[in-house]
Amino acid sequence: MITSYAPNATHGANAHDIRQEVARLRRLATLLDAAFRIPGTKARWGLDTLIGLLPVGGTVIMLLPSLYIVWKSWHLGVGRPVIARMMGNIIVEALADLVPVLGDVFDTAFKADLRNVALLEQHFGLSTPRTP
């Protein structure tokens, strides 16, 4: 339950505030990882895949919103083990992105931001919607 984690949250965040922030982070992660559907398939991709096509610079640019999700999770009171897993997801995706073309395919399938929001939701005992 959220109430069991609320004392760890900074700035006196209550259950309602946490739910709202997690929902906002889920919308951001969906935009980054799964906003668009590849026509004729169930496969989804987001801005992370599109911007990630830029050599090296795209990966660096897309690290910022990914790190923002982790920072907000820390701000909400998520513990170090979960933050470490989130950072691991980002590192795996960033390293894969350094490989031209195959890295972009991996990025599209791996969806680190949606994985991280799912970890956040799990931490607070919230249901995780299926990836669109």
Side-chain angles (χ1 to χ4, degrees):
M1 285 308 298
I2 290 175
T3 54
S4 66
Y5 294 105
N8 296 332
T10 59
H11 303 293
N14 62 38
H16 178 72
D17 293 339
I18 291 170
R19 278 192 181 94
Q20 281 187 325
E21 188 62 30
V22 171
R24 192 174 68 75
L25 292 173
R26 170 145 298 274
R27 287 190 300 272
L28 173 61
T30 299
L31 177 65
L32 296 172
D33 288 343
F36 313 104
R37 189 172 54 85
I38 297 172
T41 71
K42 291 183 179 182
R44 300 192 68 87
W45 59 281
L47 293 180
D48 196 0
T49 300
L50 181 65
I51 295 170
L53 291 172
L54 299 170
V56 183
T59 300
V60 172
I61 291 168
M62 294 316 299
L63 279 174
L64 296 175
S66 295
L67 291 172
Y68 173 77
I69 291 170
V70 175
W71 179 79
K72 288 300 287 185
S73 298
W74 173 77
H75 187 72
L76 288 171
V78 172
R80 287 182 183 172
V82 176
I83 295 295
R85 285 185 64 193
M86 290 177 162
M87 290 301 296
N89 287 336
I90 292 171
I91 291 167
V92 166
E93 189 172 84
L95 290 175
D97 274 348
L98 296 176
V99 179
V101 183
L102 289 177
D104 296 314
V105 171
F106 178 84
D107 183 35
T108 301
F110 189 69
K111 302 181 185 319
D113 298 312
L114 285 172
R115 286 174 184 261
N116 286 346
V117 171
L119 288 170
L120 177 62
E121 290 165 338
Q122 182 181 19
H123 175 79
F124 286 115
L126 301 171
S127 62
T128 301
R130 291 189 64 189
T131 303

